[in-house]
Amino acid sequence: MFLAHANNSGFDPTVAELRRSLTAAKQEALTQVRTVAQDGLQQVMPGLYERIVVTTIQIAAHVGLGVGLALEALDEVHSRTSLSLFSREIREMMTETGVSLKRRHSNRIAKLVAEIEAQRLAWRHNHEFLSWLGFRRDDQRYTALNRRERLEAFKVQQRLLASRDAVITKLGVPLTTALEGHDRFMLANRWHLPPSPDHAVERYVWPLLSLQSGPVTMLEYARLEHDAFVDAGGAKDQASALFDKIAAAFKAQLIAALEHLPEDAQAGVIV
């Protein structure tokens, strides 16, 4: 089912239109962030985020929870439009709305989507803290002790693992891994490994130490190399080719992950 929808937008026009609507809602939200004052955003963002979650619920109701979330993530890669691109302050506004949606919905698949989306917002927050504090080796403003204390104060470890475990129970390990890696890569202010000889070694070593399968490890290599190429001022057409390589590898990861969905995440129910 995932491949049928991913490879042919005409397979199901209803689902295709919902996917387009979901991408459009995210693009509209990003436009609002760029053009509306902060106090105005507090008025418009809750409604936009609710529209995003409700559309995600509708897609999941048609194709199943796992396939729906996989299609959403793949669409984010191709459109380069994701909730990860919002600032932490904007995502916190969304979190409040997400908690309200989770409480409001009685339909089971709606409650699952609202819960998973809330957890994805939470792990984005924690990946942002990791990018901010985890890799500032040469920043004189933040000593190693200071950074460790801040990470402990923010409870990054506990909160990140709690979000991860909550999603694993609903989607299984492979798909949760795919979604978290995707959300981290799309994060606007993720930490990059600059194109230096030392960091080239780190880019080689770190994916291997992730203990992931071959395809997932190679996807992480592609993500790191894309960042390094763009940061070094590489040509746009070559950067686009590297991004296409990421999209293809991510699609393969999603295909493999969907083979291991819990039974509850497989079927959709039209609501």
Side-chain angles (χ1 to χ4, degrees), residues 81-237:
T81 305
S82 166
L83 299 190
S84 297
L85 299 177
F86 293 100
S87 68
R88 181 168 56 86
E89 291 76 16
I90 300 299
R91 293 197 310 270
E92 285 174 349
M93 294 181 196
M94 295 176 178
T95 298
E96 295 173 8
T97 304
V99 172
S100 172
L101 286 170
K102 188 171 62 172
R103 292 172 179 165
R104 189 189 317 165
H105 284 291
S106 58
N107 177 274
R108 187 170 182 279
I109 200 166
K111 290 182 74 71
L112 283 171
V113 170
E115 167 68 15
I116 289 168
E117 292 303 318
Q119 297 297 344
R120 291 177 71 182
L121 284 173
W123 72 33
R124 287 178 176 101
H125 294 341
N126 289 292
H127 277 285
E128 183 171 284
F129 284 129
L130 289 174
S131 283
W132 176 43
L133 292 168
F135 308 107
R136 294 180 178 271
R137 299 183 190 86
D138 302 320
D139 193 329
Q140 299 302 315
R141 296 173 298 171
Y142 303 100
T143 66
L145 178 60
N146 175 270
R147 289 185 286 129
R148 175 58 186 262
E149 288 174 345
R150 287 170 180 259
L151 287 168
E152 292 289 352
F154 292 139
K155 298 182 180 179
V156 170
Q157 184 184 78
Q158 301 95 309
R159 289 174 174 171
L160 178 55
L161 293 177
S163 294
R164 185 178 295 167
D165 288 345
V167 179
I168 285 173
T169 62
K170 298 167 181 63
L171 297 179
V173 172
L175 185 56
T176 299
T177 299
L179 292 178
E180 186 179 346
H182 162 70
D183 288 340
R184 175 195 57 78
F185 175 70
M186 297 293 286
L187 199 67
N189 61 347
R190 70 186 181 279
W191 181 67
H192 291 193
L193 283 165
S196 72
D198 284 344
H199 289 147
V201 174
E202 293 185 55
R203 291 198 304 273
Y204 183 89
V205 170
W206 281 12
L208 290 173
L209 294 180
S210 70
L211 308 182
Q212 295 296 326
S213 65
V216 178
T217 298
M218 297 310 296
L219 172 56
E220 286 304 302
Y221 278 132
R223 285 167 168 162
L224 290 168
E225 291 306 313
H226 170 271
D227 283 349
F229 184 82
V230 171
D231 290 347
K236 287 187 177 181
D237 57 339

Side-chain angles (χ1 to χ4, degrees), residues 7-142:
N7 293 339
N8 179 14
S9 60
F11 175 71
D12 185 329
T14 300
V15 173
E17 180 56 34
L18 286 169
R19 290 168 62 192
R20 285 191 291 270
S21 177
L22 181 56
T23 298
K26 293 172 186 174
Q27 291 170 336
E28 181 182 345
L30 285 167
T31 299
Q32 294 279 2
V33 168
R34 290 191 291 266
T35 58
V36 177
Q38 186 72 17
D39 56 347
L41 288 175
Q42 294 177 345
Q43 302 299 318
V44 300
M45 287 309 298
L48 281 170
Y49 181 63
E50 181 170 352
R51 176 180 155 197
I52 288 168
V53 174
V54 168
T55 307
T56 305
I57 291 168
Q58 292 173 323
I59 294 171
H62 280 81
V63 300
L65 180 63
V67 171
L69 293 173
L71 288 170
E72 179 195 12
L74 189 64
D75 289 342
E76 287 185 340
V77 169
H78 287 300
S79 67
R80 306 196 188 195
T81 305
S82 166
L83 299 190
S84 297
L85 299 177
F86 293 100
S87 68
R88 181 168 56 86
E89 291 76 16
I90 300 299
R91 293 197 310 270
E92 285 174 349
M93 294 181 196
M94 295 176 178
T95 298
E96 295 173 8
T97 304
V99 172
S100 172
L101 286 170
K102 188 171 62 172
R103 292 172 179 165
R104 189 189 317 165
H105 284 291
S106 58
N107 177 274
R108 187 170 182 279
I109 200 166
K111 290 182 74 71
L112 283 171
V113 170
E115 167 68 15
I116 289 168
E117 292 303 318
Q119 297 297 344
R120 291 177 71 182
L121 284 173
W123 72 33
R124 287 178 176 101
H125 294 341
N126 289 292
H127 277 285
E128 183 171 284
F129 284 129
L130 289 174
S131 283
W132 176 43
L133 292 168
F135 308 107
R136 294 180 178 271
R137 299 183 190 86
D138 302 320
D139 193 329
Q140 299 302 315
R141 296 173 298 171
Y142 303 100

